[in-house]
Amino acid sequence: MKKLFALILAILMVASLAACSGDTETETADTNDTTAEELIMGTNAYFPPYEYYDADGTTIVGIDAEIAQAVADKLGMKLTIKDMDFDSLLTAVQTGSVDIVFAGLTVTEERQQAVDFTVTYATGIQVIIVPNDSDIASVDDLAGKTIGVQAGTTGDIYCTGDYGQDSVKQFQNGALAVAALQNGQVDCVVIDNEPAKSFVEANEGLKILDTEYITEDYAAAISKDNADLTTKVNNAMEELKADGTIDAIIAKYIKAE
């Protein structure tokens, strides 16, 4: 299992460097249906198990990709996924570059001023990754430390707000933040619990502290100028929640402990 995660993370990091030169797109629906309206999803595909590239490095998979596909199927639309920097996603949906954002995106008051959120579909927990021999034992020990985060995430927002910009180093994705932790560039990484599990399993000498930084709700984001789509997606997601589809997708990637 460790080799599998290590392979996935290696692919993520290589793909991440390639993605710096521009956004990439992945079509996940039946491309033979040329009449279907397109639903363009924006994401940052370096956040397993919510979104990441498969072993071939060509297709974006994960919880968000599957939920988005299920929504598109309900709406009779063809799903296309655009991979881009996380901190550009809300701008992309506001300007119409994408129709919807599924990206392990936390609902916050600030973000609600910029976009509309769908019904929530998952709960995220921000946790702290440290080396096994770290003197950091809880959130109370973060003062004076250098904290690695993925740029634009709530981990970034909260840590910058709590400890100041000088104490926080932003990285394009979680894999790069964890690599910086291993190299001694940062003292810890604050990130969602599920990708944290993947990163720790793939990298010897790291652990997740038995303490939560914050708990939050995940939802998809849609432009405030596209209320009709928000209504349609919400209706589809409520049906998918009611029939157990969303729970089954999440359970496929996140095993009950």
Side-chain angles (χ1 to χ4, degrees), residues 200-236:
V200 168
E201 187 162 0
N203 295 276
E204 296 286 349
L206 301 179
K207 65 180 180 181
I208 300 171
L209 294 183
D210 188 21
T211 181
E212 298 176 6
Y213 192 86
I214 197 165
T215 301
E216 48 203 13
D217 291 322
Y218 288 165
I222 300 174
S223 170
K224 286 184 175 293
D225 295 328
N226 203 349
D228 182 56
L229 179 62
T230 301
T231 299
K232 290 178 180 178
V233 170
N234 274 335
N235 289 339

Side-chain angles (χ1 to χ4, degrees), residues 25 38-42 77-82 96-101:
E25 294 186 11
E38 187 176 32
L39 179 67
I40 303 175
M41 164 187 158
M77 303 176 77
K78 181 183 72 173
L79 179 67
T80 297
I81 302 177
K82 282 189 174 183
S97 297
V98 301
D99 301 310
I100 190 169
V101 171

Side-chain angles (χ1 to χ4, degrees), residues 23-103:
D23 300 339
T24 59
E25 294 186 11
T26 301
E27 289 189 1
T28 60
D30 182 3
T31 54
N32 291 326
D33 185 0
T34 58
T35 63
E37 184 180 354
E38 187 176 32
L39 179 67
I40 303 175
M41 164 187 158
T43 196
N44 178 257
Y46 307 96
F47 198 66
Y50 287 93
E51 39 268 322
Y52 58 97
Y53 282 95
D54 64 5
D56 294 332
T58 56
T59 303
I60 297 171
V61 297
I63 292 171
D64 285 338
E66 290 203 25
I67 292 177
Q69 184 63 67
V71 168
D73 290 343
K74 279 277 187 185
L75 300 180
M77 303 176 77
K78 181 183 72 173
L79 179 67
T80 297
I81 302 177
K82 282 189 174 183
D83 182 18
M84 57 186 66
D85 289 345
F86 184 88
D87 55 3
S88 70
L89 288 171
L90 293 189
T91 299
V93 79
Q94 286 177 300
T95 58
S97 297
V98 301
D99 301 310
I100 190 169
V101 171
F102 272 98

Side-chain angles (χ1 to χ4, degrees), residues 151-163:
T153 62
T154 48
D156 180 7
I157 295 168
Y158 294 134
C159 289
T160 300
D162 290 344
Y163 302 103

Side-chain angles (χ1 to χ4, degrees), residues 124-141:
I125 300 172
Q126 292 290 315
V127 296
I128 305 167
I129 304 175
V130 296
N132 287 338
D133 60 356
S134 173
D135 61 355
I136 300 173
S138 73
V139 176
D140 296 334
D141 299 324

